[in-house]
Amino acid sequence: MSTTTGSALPPLQSDYSELVRDIRSRGLLQPRPAFYAVLGTLNLAGLALVVAGLFLLRDSWWALLLAPGFAIVSTQIAFFSHDAAHRQIAHRGRTIALLCLVHGNLLNGLSYGWWIAKHNAHHAHPNDLEADPDVAVGAFVFDSDQASARRGAAAWLTRHQAGLFFPMLTLEAFNLRVWSMRSVLRPGLRYRKVESLLLLGHLTLYLTLLLSTLTWIQALVFLVIHQALFGVYLGCSFAPSHKGMPALTPQQAADPLLRQVLSARNIRGGRFVDLALGGLNLQIEHHLFPSMPRPNLRRAQPIIERHCRARGISYSETTLHESYGLALRHLHQVGAPLRGGVSSSR
């Protein structure tokens, strides 16, 4: 991954245990049930309004205006499920599973079991080309050596991946659903049968809603708009946090604080940005303390930043717009060898 800070390597003594004690003593790891009760209620209210709107605008092309709102609601529900999976809402295993199965599988049609395994691997090894599934070779490539091995259509895609990044995000929701369906068809998931039934239930309810309130052509257009914008919103929320951050030395990767802080960047902004990005804008704090409730991340941010800067540890923070620029420049640099250029991605 490319280095974006240009700073000297930080010391190996990060005093992570000291930071943990400080955060814990301030009560920042304690649950915030009232916040999530309100957030969950608002999500369900938003979903109900979209459904009601479709019935009120039955067989009308005006109903397509509800598709962007539906994409926002779907993404917010995904953020809620993300927080639940990280034990931010509850600590009991059954409660967590129930929340994630309902919000992930039933309401969004995404496999909880498949996603949590993938996401845990990302948290354990952020930006590690060997172990982080989020930077594994796929539609996009994040390392110049990986790019050099591409041939044919895959090589063409990598050459142009920076320009294709946002357009291809329109397919992300469909991609997640394909992986979800594939995961429940193979043994291994703890709640495989339940997940299968809930995914089928989601598909049935979704198609029934669209086909009972719209003509078939309207339903098709609505589906494409909703799913495309859902994918773009998800991708734009996750992409700014890690893409283009530096590769870590083995010593850095072995330290629990350096591993998380040096591989992530925060996005500047206030409470609206927190809500819009589901708290993922405070990626450093989230990666250091995945079980910290979302509203506590902002309270922890200055504490963690001071801790890092006092020890000479690079703490990356930028605007949302600039974060996309960093990510796109990195993707462009990675594809340089296939365009006959020189890459600086390593």
Side-chain angles (χ1 to χ4, degrees):
M1 307 296 286
S2 65
T3 301
T4 60
T5 60
S7 58
L9 294 179
L12 295 180
Q13 296 299 321
S14 66
D15 297 323
Y16 175 64
S17 59
E18 178 182 326
L19 176 62
V20 172
R21 287 193 297 271
D22 188 10
I23 292 294
R24 194 180 300 278
S25 69
R26 296 170 185 264
L28 296 179
L29 298 179
Q30 294 300 313
R32 296 284 298 273
F35 171 86
Y36 283 108
V38 172
L39 184 62
T41 300
L42 290 175
N43 288 342
L44 294 178
L47 180 59
L49 287 174
V50 171
V51 172
L54 284 170
F55 278 100
L56 288 173
L57 296 172
R58 184 187 298 271
D59 296 337
S60 170
W61 285 100
W62 289 106
L64 297 184
L65 295 177
L66 295 171
F70 203 172
I72 293 173
V73 171
S74 297
T75 306
Q76 288 296 322
I77 290 173
F79 290 154
F80 187 93
S81 182
H82 166 269
D83 290 3
H86 276 300
R87 299 177 177 269
Q88 295 178 21
I89 303 176
H91 293 294
R92 292 183 59 190
R94 290 185 178 181
T95 303
I96 294 168
L98 177 62
L99 288 171
C100 293
L101 289 170
V102 170
H103 288 81
N105 290 63
L106 182 61
L107 297 184
N108 262 342
L110 304 177
S111 168
Y112 156 60
W114 164 74
W115 180 85
I116 193 62
K118 173 179 178 292
H119 196 62
N120 283 345
H122 160 67
H123 267 264
H125 307 281
N127 278 16
D128 186 326
L129 295 173
E130 302 294 329
D132 183 356
D134 284 4
V135 292
V137 175
F140 299 105
V141 177
F142 302 98
D143 178 75
S144 56
D145 289 343
Q146 295 173 335
S148 300
R150 306 276 267 187
R151 297 292 182 271
W156 182 89
L157 180 63
T158 301
R159 282 199 299 272
H160 304 283
Q161 64 181 0
L164 293 172
F165 179 73
F166 286 109
M168 288 185 66
L169 287 182
T170 60
L171 302 175
E172 180 61 14
F174 295 101
N175 177 56
L176 294 175
R177 296 182 194 288
V178 169
W179 279 103
S180 293
M181 293 302 297
R182 290 177 62 180
S183 70
V184 299
L185 293 176
R186 298 193 301 263
L189 293 183
R190 180 178 181 182
Y191 302 105
R192 182 186 174 199
K193 291 183 179 180
V194 175
E195 289 207 45
S196 300
L197 290 173
L198 291 175
L199 290 180
L200 180 60
H202 169 83
L203 180 62
T204 301
L205 290 172
Y206 184 67
L207 293 181
T208 298
L209 171 65
L210 296 188
L211 294 175
S212 63
T213 57
L214 302 169
T215 67
W216 72 268
I217 187 65
Q218 290 170 345
L220 179 61
V221 175
F222 187 99
L223 182 151
V224 170
I225 296 174
H226 172 216
Q227 297 302 322
L229 293 180
F230 183 21
V232 170
Y233 190 175
L234 280 176
C236 287
S237 301
F238 285 95
S241 303
H242 295 282
K243 304 300 182 284
M245 293 304 289
L248 304 182
T249 67
Q251 293 84 357
Q252 291 169 338
D255 184 288
L257 187 142
L258 299 179
R259 180 170 64 246
Q260 305 299 348
V261 174
L262 298 181
S263 63
R265 69 169 66 89
N266 279 0
I267 305 302
R268 297 190 186 98
R271 301 291 179 180
F272 175 77
V273 176
D274 292 353
L275 177 63
L277 297 183
L280 299 176
N281 50 306
L282 296 169
Q283 190 72 190
I284 292 174
E285 288 67 35
H286 171 58
H287 261 253
L288 281 172
F289 300 98
S291 64
M292 181 180 290
R294 191 194 309 179
N296 288 349
L297 294 173
R298 183 158 295 279
R299 295 170 57 194
Q301 190 273 331
I303 300 168
I304 293 172
E305 182 178 8
R306 283 196 302 269
H307 180 94
C308 291
R309 297 202 186 284
R311 290 156 180 80
I313 299 171
S314 176
Y315 183 97
S316 181
E317 190 176 31
T318 187
T319 64
L320 183 62
H321 180 267
E322 178 60 20
S323 72
Y324 292 134
L326 292 169
L328 292 178
R329 283 195 290 273
H330 175 67
L331 290 173
H332 184 74
Q333 290 169 357
V334 166
L338 296 175
R339 296 191 302 273
V342 178
S343 172
S344 58
S345 68
R346 293 185 66 84

